[in-house]
Amino acid sequence: MRPWIPETDLPDHERTARAAAFCERMASRHSCRSFSSKPVPRAVIEASIAAAGNAPSGANRQPWHFAALSSAGAKTALRVAVEEEERHFYGGIGGSEWQGVLRDLGAKADKPYLEIAPWVLVAFGQTRASETDLFPNPQVTESVGIACGLLISALHLAGLATLVHTATPARFLNRLCRRPEHERPILLIVVGHPAADAAVPAAALERKPLDQIASWL
Ligand SMILES: Cc1cc2nc3c(=O)[nH]c(=O)nc-3n(C[C@H](O)[C@H](O)[C@H](O)COP(=O)(O)O)c2cc1C
């Protein structure tokens, strides 16, 4: 056991002000789907992934691994595979049910940003600690989701734009990122600077107010 290291003792109004200031900074976060090719130093990505590594996790298994892609070859291969997968989705069942909603939110089958943005991070969830471990890690999706929340927040506070994206096709991502079978890709996070024409779709500006997302008992 290590004694708890207390945070600086603050008056309550200062605590509230800090939480409100964080809320205000995060309110400007939006998904970006038009990136510039302006480079982002690896050190920023490293610090942000390190921040994600402080997330709580089921049984402290820390069941995450982040593959950071920046090479043109890897990003092009990723774009080709993701676009092929998405064309199935947009042309198939997903097309009929979700096409309108997703279009309004700016999502489409063409994904040039996967090649243009300087970084694409693939968040993997480790279903077991190692390939030979018999026991499954608990709450993998929840733990990786929380870590990705910290990652996105760190990147946003570093002044970068991000897009959280569905991680398919799964097997392809394992091969591309050279990750073992007991890991499964959970999210792609595209990272970079916004292009001059980047915009936030009107539908994405609607955020539920506090009284709809919280109740007090
Ligand atoms: C798990 C998850 C998967 C997502 N997948 C995609 C995706 O495949 N393509 C896309 O354009 N946006 C994707 N998004 C982004 C959402 O469309 C976006 O967060 C939502 O419309 C709200 O907009 P905002 O991020 O600007 O607040 C995804 C978001 C999450 C959390």
Side-chain angles (χ1 to χ4, degrees):
M1 289 286 223
R2 190 207 68 189
W4 187 272
I5 301 169
E7 293 289 324
T8 323
D9 199 20
L10 298 172
D12 283 344
H13 68 82
E14 177 60 21
R15 292 182 204 287
T16 310
R18 287 192 185 194
F22 182 68
C23 174
E24 199 179 318
R25 289 290 285 115
M26 293 313 295
S28 62
R29 185 215 55 82
H30 273 290
S31 295
C32 179
R33 296 181 184 83
S34 182
F35 285 85
S36 89
S37 58
K38 185 176 165 185
V40 169
R42 176 171 157 163
V44 183
I45 306 297
E46 283 180 0
S48 302
I49 294 175
N54 292 302
S57 63
N60 194 25
R61 298 305 281 254
Q62 304 172 43
W64 40 67
H65 180 92
F66 297 92
L69 312 183
S70 62
S71 81
K75 289 189 295 175
T76 300
L78 177 64
R79 177 181 177 185
V80 170
V82 169
E83 286 186 347
E84 197 178 312
E85 179 82 8
E86 295 267 319
R87 270 190 282 275
H88 284 301
F89 175 76
Y90 282 87
I93 297 167
S96 57
E97 284 183 22
W98 283 101
Q99 209 163 35
V101 178
L102 292 174
R103 281 268 146 75
D104 286 351
L105 288 167
K108 351 185 211 256
D110 283 345
K111 319 253 173 210
Y113 48 75
L114 289 174
E115 280 183 284
I116 297 169
W119 293 95
V120 181
L121 311 180
V122 189
F124 286 87
Q126 298 173 328
T127 57
R128 285 170 285 129
S130 71
E131 262 163 310
T132 51
D133 197 320
L134 295 177
F135 297 104
N137 280 335
Q139 296 109 12
V140 173
T141 311
E142 293 87 336
S143 304
V144 174
I146 295 170
C148 286
L150 294 188
L151 175 58
I152 293 161
S153 302
L155 292 165
H156 179 66
L157 294 180
L160 293 170
T162 57
L163 173 64
V164 172
H165 194 286
T166 318
T168 53
R171 282 186 189 288
F172 167 82
L173 284 166
N174 277 73
R175 269 201 311 279
L176 179 74
C177 303
R178 296 184 218 127
R179 299 310 303 166
E181 286 286 305
H182 71 282
E183 293 187 2
R184 80 187 155 82
I186 294 183
L187 287 176
L188 294 182
I189 302 174
V190 187
V191 187
H193 295 278
D197 69 349
V200 180
L205 292 170
E206 292 164 21
R207 282 187 174 148
K208 294 181 182 176
L210 182 64
D211 64 0
Q212 276 182 34
I213 65 168
S215 51
W216 314 90
L217 307 160

